[in-house]
Amino acid sequence: MNRLNDAPETLAIVGATILDGNGGTPIRDGVVVIEGSRILAVGDRSTPIPPEATEIVASGKFVIPGLMSAYTCLVDGAFLTTVVPYEGRFDELAIEAAQLALKGGVTTVFDPWGPRDALVKAREAIKQGRAVGSRIYLAGNIVGYDGPFSEDFRPKHREVVPRPFATRIDAQWQLNVGRALVQMSPEQVREEIRKYIHSGVDFVSCAITDHCCTGGALKYLVFSSRVLQLIVEEAHRAGLPVVGWAPWSNEGVVHALNAGIDHTIIGRLLPYISEETVAMVGRRQLPCAYAGYTAQVHEWFRGRPGGEFLEGQQAADDMIRRLYDAGAVPMLMTSGQLFSRDEVATWPEPMQSIKGFGVLGQGHVFLLQAMQENGLSPMGALMAATRNISRAYKVDKDLGTLERGKLADLLILDEDPLKDTKNYFGISVVMKEGKVIDRGALPTQRLIIAPPPHSQAYADSKPQLPK
Amino acid sequence: MNRLNDAPETLAIVGATILDGNGGTPIRDGVVVIEGSRILAVGDRSTPIPPEATEIVASGKFVIPGLMSAYTCLVDGAFLTTVVPYEGRFDELAIEAAQLALKGGVTTVFDPWGPRDALVKAREAIKQGRAVGSRIYLAGNIVGYDGPFSEDFRPKHREVVPRPFATRIDAQWQLNVGRALVQMSPEQVREEIRKYIHSGVDFVSCAITDHCCTGGALKYLVFSSRVLQLIVEEAHRAGLPVVGWAPWSNEGVVHALNAGIDHTIIGRLLPYISEETVAMVGRRQLPCAYAGYTAQVHEWFRGRPGGEFLEGQQAADDMIRRLYDAGAVPMLMTSGQLFSRDEVATWPEPMQSIKGFGVLGQGHVFLLQAMQENGLSPMGALMAATRNISRAYKVDKDLGTLERGKLADLLILDEDPLKDTKNYFGISVVMKEGKVIDRGALPTQRLIIAPPPHSQAYADSKPQLPK
Amino acid sequence: MNRLNDAPETLAIVGATILDGNGGTPIRDGVVVIEGSRILAVGDRSTPIPPEATEIVASGKFVIPGLMSAYTCLVDGAFLTTVVPYEGRFDELAIEAAQLALKGGVTTVFDPWGPRDALVKAREAIKQGRAVGSRIYLAGNIVGYDGPFSEDFRPKHREVVPRPFATRIDAQWQLNVGRALVQMSPEQVREEIRKYIHSGVDFVSCAITDHCCTGGALKYLVFSSRVLQLIVEEAHRAGLPVVGWAPWSNEGVVHALNAGIDHTIIGRLLPYISEETVAMVGRRQLPCAYAGYTAQVHEWFRGRPGGEFLEGQQAADDMIRRLYDAGAVPMLMTSGQLFSRDEVATWPEPMQSIKGFGVLGQGHVFLLQAMQENGLSPMGALMAATRNISRAYKVDKDLGTLERGKLADLLILDEDPLKDTKNYFGISVVMKEGKVIDRGALPTQRLIIAPPPHSQAYADSKPQLPK
Amino acid sequence: MNRLNDAPETLAIVGATILDGNGGTPIRDGVVVIEGSRILAVGDRSTPIPPEATEIVASGKFVIPGLMSAYTCLVDGAFLTTVVPYEGRFDELAIEAAQLALKGGVTTVFDPWGPRDALVKAREAIKQGRAVGSRIYLAGNIVGYDGPFSEDFRPKHREVVPRPFATRIDAQWQLNVGRALVQMSPEQVREEIRKYIHSGVDFVSCAITDHCCTGGALKYLVFSSRVLQLIVEEAHRAGLPVVGWAPWSNEGVVHALNAGIDHTIIGRLLPYISEETVAMVGRRQLPCAYAGYTAQVHEWFRGRPGGEFLEGQQAADDMIRRLYDAGAVPMLMTSGQLFSRDEVATWPEPMQSIKGFGVLGQGHVFLLQAMQENGLSPMGALMAATRNISRAYKVDKDLGTLERGKLADLLILDEDPLKDTKNYFGISVVMKEGKVIDRGALPTQRLIIAPPPHSQAYADSKPQLPK
């Protein structure tokens, strides 16, 4: 093997079964040729392999496109243990998160809610090779909501921190497109949204129904029809797709559709949608993300306290099935987060998908499994995690499938992911833009997931009364 | 003077200055002739007086139409001291309230939020002469909101009473048009609203923006445009006017206007409306009720704690002035309530208009004064409390002015109400449908306004530490 | 049968098995002779029966002393549905409660916490024959605690009612012996307690450990040793017994004992007492009331939510057994209350003893059963509900057993209560002071236990979404 | 000037006025000779100065003993911004705090409440010269209270952090002497307290009355008399003084006195003490710390909101004056803390003594001023901050005054602190154990007092509505 000066490196993955993300028949004993960051060819054994190519022998293994998550919050402001110690370092948290995702095979994440400037910083660091991690696309704030300490998320947190701190954190989410928009006239909203759209975001998250946590509302329409339409219009004019976040009522779904949003989430907080709405979503072939729970989780909580959060899940499972049957396009979302060890310590073992939907780098596998348990074919689930997302976000020119000309994001799995979802855990190689990732080195810095300090020892020191 | 058997009684009020509610030049030394329940003639001294008429000499006095309140909650579920002791007797409370209103010169009240069936019972008792009291028009629930113990009003109250009790009380407000509508499809809403419209209500109150007390939201749109439109459409089809309750955002105002509501409230919780919206409201000559505070209240709270509820009032005063200037039609609302003595005991003396807008039978005078302090002419204020309301509710065939053929609801005041608003307190006669009301006998039963029992004595029994 | 003028009526209950409350062998085929309000003779068939006596044939039945409850709150301020509608009528509630108790066979109740003046009024009405009901002995306030709306009981209730109302209600409990005493010097406490002791109370309830509901404390000492001692001293000087209410720590128990209290409660909020303390209580033969739950209640809650209140009950059961074994004297307490129908509607059927310990007139039977399930003999349980209480309160000259000279308070039961506790429900006759009570007429007025008004119908009116 | 090898350095401060802390007439133009860490001589100009001594010319200046603070919480668990980011680094926070104190002239602090092991680590680092900072004496937990997240301090904080975290933090305070002791028998308490006393603490803080924050109680006795006595007894047996923390009732004061505590705090939460108690405290010459507010603070809050925390301060000022007049010994406490910039940003400028009593390194000056405004002489205030504290803690052999043989802790002030309290700010030299402290280098690490990161910029980014 020799390598010419400056010429891009050429690789050939040989002998594996290729699932290219387009849903067709798998190519057995296939070949993927990669030149530099892009795919040069995908095909069966007859595919020509350039002589200078380094061969990666993958006989018996399976090659799939790098996984994508339609919605993943890299920096979750809803946890005090995230925002209090790391103010000013949110970009580092985002990188830690993107590294955990990448380590688990998710090569691209779309972040719908976070501190924009820190996320931009993390995105650029990864893009420019200063840091390894999943490719980040980001929206910043959910247009129309206020920040983590506001009534929209964690008003109780506001009471326990100094006011200037809360205000400052909230501002990093809100920027100029928070709740204040709701009280504005269309002209004013247009002015603010234009500024925001040109501030480095990759797509727009827009509030459909409210997120009024304290009142348990979650069903009113945040914007009037004309305002929602203009937000979508401005985003589209700038070439940005819009995710409708999130419709928690039948009318919310219709409202979002009518305004022209590009994709959305359907979840258990949406109690009901009519047949007419199902049909409308289906006709539009709207990409809809959904996060279900595996049968194992349901089983675990049967008869145990704490399972209230599963209420309504069955109804939601039914609803999403109706939507997918009608033509809605499935998408994987992990809504994944960097959970601290203390947080995870309170969960039942070994289910990693229960709170906040999914632990980064692992939860997506459980979510893919839940999708299949709820009726999606194994191939459908794979597409929900690859091509469907790249199309919904209009980045399918570069991402989502294994095809000539696309970026060489791919996984080599030890066993067939269509046979058993758990096989997504059996990763042999993660490749991003033609580079094999050193998974063992990730994350390069442990902040949120660091073990607690030695003070752990104190946990059991309480004196007990004699019996 | 003699009176024929069975013939309706004829009365003539003679010598007073007549302000007929139409806003024209007062008729000095005028005559109002009443036959039975209706006005036979109104005019100057030359007006013929039937020989059988009983004359009421009112020289130097002033005759005005019976006052109306656009929105008055006769039974306020937001007070535990109202709902806990009087379950099953809400009709009696409504009558007590209607009697206090009548005693104060308000001969007609429109109740936008209350327990429908009890209000219907009270309305009928008064209509059929079994009880004396203001004429009641009622809407029952505010369509789209839940009852008094819900998150829309007093969720804290729910925690302190037995659950079945709270559920039962809420149900008397909600009936079939509560929050559940918000999650329905248009067809389902139509079905429920039709049932409701034919259940004895006189008009429809419909939620425009949310009333999510706990989250402090008050700005999201409760219904989608198409659902709001169909609610208005169904009401109008049944001949019922619709009040938009209440728009707390610029877009809410436009949303309500576009749906075709008949009138609405503008208040200090609405932080901003654009010039375009002002113009739209003005062009439509939309009747808009408003409850301001007198300069005396503002003065009293200057530098005193507890005046936070006045925040934003100046901005609201400015906004309503802009609206009235543009063509919106002023209406008096008292939103008056039966406050218990304990409740009132915590207010600053002698301001009766501060909490919940107005004490029944008195608060309206302060509200009329505030309207004038904010730019309305004395005559404009009088019309805001009479003709404007009767037109907004489409009952001007019978009510709102002193004109031949209309019901003889009128007040004889000792002094000119256009000179000093306080003169509305100087009531010589309240006449309703041609009958002079025995004001001294009202209320006929004291429930909410009864004095506390002898246990008052306990209030000061606490031992004190020596100094 | 003839009756001489003015002579007291003479009755003879003949043929029943007599359990006289002293714990000895039952007298089969016995005779109880009653003259006027008192017992003239108790004995076997050979007991002479005055010729003028009216005979009550009770062959096969069982005669026992009228039951007593060591602690029963006739008017429970902890329920808003009690205090809000009935201010000024608490005496009526006390009578309603006393009537339900009497109907169930409890002829004497000792009320340790309530509105003193209303209870005095009720006590006098019953004593003077103006009302039928259990004989009431009352303490008024628990010295050292504040009223129902205070932090000692229901601070959340204070937030939802007008302040003057809460203050007034609290004052009816506190009078001059509330929390303020805790901040006083001994001299000041002495002055206040003397006033209180001469205000018509029959015994003194004195706080031992705190009742700080909100903080969950319930373990600190309310008074210093010297202050507690002087309270007991002043009560004893006036001839009043003192109940220590209630010791929730080992040190609290010792504190109370050292101060010379006459009896107390032991309950599940007391997590631990040492062997030394057990021995001390036993040596003093301290009367200790206890409220357990029947096996049926424990069984019902196994694996059901809501059973948290049973936590620690097993430990408490063990503790009370150790105390009784050591010599502590058992007493029945019902802590019974007038629960509204709404309140009871939320409980599991058919267990009447679960919340607040016991429904008046019924709960005591379950509590007697729980005592036996926890080791007391049937005879011991009967004594716990009769003689033990009369001695603890120093009223055994008149009450507690069936003996010559005592007041003729007794029950005739259809079956043997020593065989099955449920037989306490099978009441043939309740006699109080020689008078047969017309149980069917009780309660003479239904306030708290009245059925909800017709508004019950509203409970199911909520519209449902289609499935 | 020459210096022999290995010989301790000798210094002489010459020409200053010396206030030696004993309260006598100041020595003008005095001399302080220091050899190594200790004072060799103090006297007037005639005092012999060893020839090898380095002279520090201080003409016109004032030398006083290093200041002491009777109670200063170096690591305050009540702030989430302290405990969340710095778990495992509390020793560093303690050092940062001790450095700020030292920089301000407080050479010795007594810490009554903190995470024992971290404080021991900080104490040892300073003692062994690995870090510069005030000399630390520590108590660890307040015996009988639970940790920062418990009901005794900040139960609301517990709701917003992961449970394992809260438990772990609490445990670092509680160790084996938390609330659980209150439920124990005396023997059990003795066993636990003995373990604690030998775990490296320098004195014992013991709860007198409760600290039940949520219930607002703060007045009940935490321990029974016999238990409190044994705690004091065990501490004294081990040679440790005991501070009674804190008596919030008259009986609490007496309870603490009777148990033999060595000193205590008197504050505004103590509403009343009797003349008899005042006399008892006076006879015992009990050292009593007190934290008042300057007239400037009172003035600032007059008519401003937020001044509620000053309520009762006047009464407390009067009370402490009575106590000092009767013979109680004044002590300065700062209860000082490391406040974050965000925290301080919410306070009114320029008052540094308002919240939590005092900002480290500055607040003590305001507290000294408040003491004088409340009647203490300037010399009395100086003694309250020096000799009185060293005696109360039984460390007067080494600390508290400028006397031969004592450790050379002293300040050289530019102007006379007896003339104006503000002159305590004018520090020329801080010397600790004979070493001149490089104040400019302190703190050596900024954690809590670090400026917020660049995210400060976000604070003003909210869009505004047009007027």
Side-chain angles (χ1 to χ4, degrees), chain B residues 116-448:
Chain B
R116 184 195 62 199
D117 299 342
L119 290 172
V120 165
K121 207 168 155 190
R123 179 190 67 191
E124 296 306 308
I126 290 170
K127 191 181 282 180
Q128 296 161 14
R130 285 178 281 119
V132 175
S134 285
R135 182 181 296 101
I136 298 172
Y137 290 90
L138 65 98
N141 196 34
I142 295 174
V143 174
Y145 291 166
D146 267 356
F149 286 93
S150 75
E151 285 160 2
D152 291 328
F153 293 93
R154 294 284 185 274
K156 276 194 164 183
H157 289 192
R158 176 165 282 262
E159 300 168 21
V160 297
V161 296
R163 187 54 56 108
F165 174 78
T167 302
R168 216 159 55 220
I169 296 296
D170 275 355
Q172 296 181 57
W173 264 254
Q174 292 163 204
L175 297 162
N176 65 320
V177 292
R179 260 196 188 205
L181 294 199
V182 179
Q183 299 284 14
M184 291 183 181
S185 70
E187 294 65 38
Q188 294 162 357
V189 173
R190 194 182 296 273
E191 190 179 331
E192 298 296 341
I193 204 74
R194 277 184 181 165
K195 275 188 254 165
Y196 197 73
I197 279 171
H198 295 100
S199 69
V201 300
D202 301 304
F203 64 101
V204 170
S205 288
C206 188
I208 300 305
T209 50
D210 72 278
H211 200 263
C212 193
C213 293
T214 47
L218 292 171
K219 67 193 175 193
Y220 300 123
L221 303 179
V222 172
F223 292 112
S224 66
S225 299
R226 63 180 188 172
V227 168
L228 183 61
Q229 278 159 20
L230 83 81
I231 291 170
V232 174
E233 185 185 301
E234 290 294 334
H236 284 174
R237 180 174 300 158
L240 306 185
V242 180
V243 51
W245 192 278
W248 282 300
S249 72
N250 181 69
E251 293 304 286
V253 175
V254 175
H255 181 59
L257 276 173
N258 287 346
I261 59 130
D262 296 280
H263 47 93
T264 195
I265 304 169
I266 301 294
R268 77 172 176 285
L269 299 171
L270 172 59
Y272 163 78
I273 56 179
S274 69
E275 277 313 309
E276 187 197 336
T277 304
V278 167
M280 194 184 306
V281 171
R283 274 196 307 275
R284 271 277 299 275
Q285 299 187 295
L286 192 77
C288 292
Y290 181 75
Y293 294 94
T294 59
Q296 197 190 8
V297 170
H298 282 280
E299 186 52 41
W300 197 91
F301 275 108
R302 211 180 307 285
R304 274 204 181 88
E308 304 80 27
F309 71 96
L310 288 172
E311 252 174 60
Q313 192 65 37
Q314 188 57 53
D317 284 351
D318 294 347
M319 190 185 308
I320 199 70
R321 212 160 42 219
R322 285 162 61 211
L323 284 165
Y324 290 158
D325 288 350
V329 175
M331 292 196 297
L332 171 75
M333 67 183 283
T334 65
S335 197
Q337 282 144 330
L338 268 179
F339 294 106
S340 70
R341 293 209 178 188
D342 282 337
E343 198 62 41
V344 173
T346 65
W347 303 358
E349 274 299 327
M351 293 137 214
Q352 296 294 313
S353 69
I354 60 162
K355 280 273 188 71
F357 308 148
V359 169
L360 275 165
Q362 306 181 42
H364 64 278
V365 179
F366 295 100
L367 293 158
L368 284 168
Q369 181 170 341
M371 281 180 147
Q372 294 177 47
E373 288 170 1
N374 195 31
L376 229 55
S377 70
M379 187 61 92
L382 175 59
M383 291 170 72
T386 54
R387 192 179 78 168
N388 295 355
I389 294 174
S390 68
R391 289 186 174 180
Y393 277 103
K394 306 187 197 306
V395 293
D396 51 320
K397 194 170 66 71
D398 289 323
L399 298 170
T401 57
L402 301 177
E403 290 180 273
R404 175 181 171 88
K406 292 204 176 180
L407 287 169
D409 284 11
L410 58 82
L411 311 184
I412 307 180
L413 302 177
D414 294 332
E415 308 204 39
D416 186 354
L418 304 185
K419 283 229 178 98
D420 185 343
T421 320
K422 294 287 185 296
N423 292 338
Y424 283 105
F425 283 131
I427 298 176
S428 171
V429 167
V430 171
M431 180 179 291
K432 190 183 153 217
E433 298 187 16
K435 298 273 186 303
V436 173
I437 300 301
D438 178 3
R439 295 171 65 231
L442 300 181
T444 50
Q445 185 182 23
R446 285 163 196 267
L447 297 171
I448 293 290

